[in-house]
Amino acid sequence: ISGLQRAYLGLKENVNDETLKALVAQIRVHIHNLCDVDKHYRRKENLIFPFLEKHGITGPPTVMWGKHDQIRELLKAAVESFEHMENASLEETRTLVELVFKPASDGVEDMIFKEEQILFPMCMDTLSESEWWQVYNQSLEIGFCLFDPTDEWTPSGETAMAGESVTDEGRIQLPSGSMTPTELNAILNTIPFDLTFVDKDDTVGYFTQGRERIFDRNRAILGRKVQLCHPPHSVHIVQRIIEDFRSGKQSRAPFWITIKSKFIHIEYFALRDKKGEYLGTLEVSQDLSDKRALNGEQRLLEYVKD
């Protein structure tokens, strides 16, 4: 913002064409960098605001989200304005600054003031350490504005452990939410794929039971070595895929075949933990025949119940 302000001041002087182009180039760089503020706003909208709402604070987040969208539109208009600035005169450039660029940068600066004076003090008074810990852990999924933090925050031991626990009895707690075993089973059996999980010891541990199966599966294969589940002539390929996954040489292996006029896509994925350690292999099979025949569009608003 300070860089933009200096460029704005430079345009108030009577400058030659070369200086004008240099100032416009500076504005272009600063505006494009400023667009990165979208990550900051998304972190507020998706991480901070939900916790405030749980504490009954809904007004400020709603108003601030609306301001975010206004700033986004202003920044978008500023970026699009560069298409018309290549041969713009000094007066035309000054007009664009007053009508487009300055409102965008002023909007960002005004939001910074509201954050420092209103939002963040409110958050510090309201959110618990456990809630801040969740915000911290999930921030990487969205990213940071203009820089990546180098310092790591470690909360108290109790807070860190609480983040790993199951909050509701009978629910499976995952990083992005929770569900009951019944709900999870319904989800896995509803997605239009056949899934088979083979653990790190090459043992079949799970398979989905969807309505339209592609390959035969029965509970007898559970606990069986995956090499024994394939015809002898292809076992060496299966073994090679697993060895490549285990060594880290590969992470996926796609194949596609035609069975009775059906186009079947089969893909193996290596499963790894956060440290990159091999956890096993996921086989995903799907009949893509109907999807390959699609053309045109089917939009959400065109949904009609029979």
Side-chain angles (χ1 to χ4, degrees):
I1 291 175
S2 60
L4 280 168
Q5 291 172 341
R6 287 193 296 272
Y8 297 159
L9 288 173
L11 289 171
K12 291 184 177 180
E13 305 293 333
N14 290 321
V15 298
N16 57 36
D17 290 344
E18 185 177 346
T19 303
L20 175 61
K21 289 182 179 180
L23 289 171
V24 169
Q26 291 177 29
I27 294 173
R28 184 192 300 270
V29 170
H30 291 311
I31 285 292
H32 277 288
N33 288 341
L34 207 56
C35 288
D36 206 39
V37 78
D38 179 64
K39 296 175 186 174
H40 176 65
Y41 293 163
R42 284 162 53 206
R43 287 171 61 218
K44 289 165 60 182
E45 294 161 356
N46 297 299
L47 300 179
I48 295 290
F49 292 174
F51 285 115
L52 289 176
E53 291 160 3
K54 289 180 181 179
H55 289 280
I57 301 174
T58 58
T62 301
V63 173
M64 195 165 279
W65 199 322
K67 293 294 183 181
H68 291 172
D69 288 341
Q70 291 177 14
I71 294 169
R72 288 176 173 121
E73 288 301 316
L74 290 170
L75 288 170
K76 180 181 177 182
V79 171
E80 291 174 349
S81 295
F82 287 119
E83 299 176 5
H84 310 289
M85 292 185 68
E86 186 173 350
N87 299 312
S89 66
L90 177 59
E91 285 304 316
E92 291 171 333
T93 303
R94 286 171 176 168
T95 300
L96 282 172
V97 165
E98 291 300 321
L99 296 180
V100 182
F101 295 106
K102 199 167 185 303
S105 57
D106 286 350
V108 174
E109 190 170 22
D110 184 58
M111 179 57 66
I112 293 172
F113 178 82
K114 288 182 171 66
E115 291 171 352
E116 293 178 344
Q117 300 300 317
I118 301 172
L119 178 67
F120 294 146
M122 181 189 302
C123 291
M124 294 302 294
D125 292 338
T126 305
L127 272 60
S128 67
E129 185 181 62
S130 176
E131 289 168 331
W132 280 117
W133 180 231
Q134 294 181 62
V135 171
Y136 176 80
N137 279 321
Q138 296 174 46
S139 289
L140 286 174
E141 298 176 11
I142 298 175
F144 300 92
C145 174
L146 296 178
F147 81 106
D148 289 325
T150 56
D151 295 335
E152 293 187 7
W153 173 50
T154 303
S156 65
E158 292 181 0
T159 298
M161 291 178 63
E164 302 290 333
S165 63
V166 176
T167 55
D168 298 314
E169 186 175 355
R171 298 185 70 82
I172 300 170
Q173 184 69 46
L174 299 170
S176 55
S178 67
M179 63 196 81
T180 66
T182 299
E183 292 167 342
L184 177 58
N185 190 56
I187 291 171
L188 291 171
N189 289 335
T190 300
I191 56 177
F193 310 110
D194 275 353
L195 304 179
T196 302
F197 167 63
V198 178
D199 68 18
K200 63 181 180 180
D201 298 318
D202 301 349
T203 301
V204 179
Y206 170 81
F207 62 90
T208 53
Q209 296 176 291
R211 295 173 183 169
E212 298 182 12
R213 295 212 55 84
I214 297 174
F215 300 111
D216 291 334
R217 294 285 189 275
N218 57 66
R219 290 184 177 84
I221 68 170
L222 297 176
R224 191 181 185 192
K225 292 295 183 182
V226 68
Q227 291 86 348
L228 300 176
C229 299
H230 290 265
H233 69 272
S234 64
V235 171
H236 68 290
I237 301 297
V238 174
Q239 185 63 39
R240 180 179 174 183
I241 292 171
I242 292 176
E243 289 174 355
D244 285 347
F245 284 0
R246 183 176 283 112
S247 68
K249 183 179 179 180
Q250 299 290 343
S251 290
R252 56 188 292 266
F255 306 93
W256 46 94
I257 57 177
T258 301
I259 302 179
K260 297 180 179 179
S261 74
K262 290 185 176 182
F263 182 78
I264 308 299
H265 189 271
I266 308 161
E267 190 155 9
Y268 299 92
F269 297 91
L271 303 178
R272 308 186 195 281
D273 62 17
K274 292 182 179 180
K275 296 180 180 179
E277 296 294 328
Y278 177 69
L279 298 175
T281 295
L282 181 68
E283 178 187 351
V284 181
S285 302
Q286 184 181 21
D287 180 356
L288 294 177
S289 304
D290 292 340
K291 292 182 175 59
R292 291 185 88 197
L294 293 175
N295 56 60
E297 295 181 341
Q298 172 68 33
R299 295 178 176 272
L300 181 64
L301 295 178
E302 296 171 352
Y303 171 78
V304 178
K305 287 188 176 181
D306 293 332

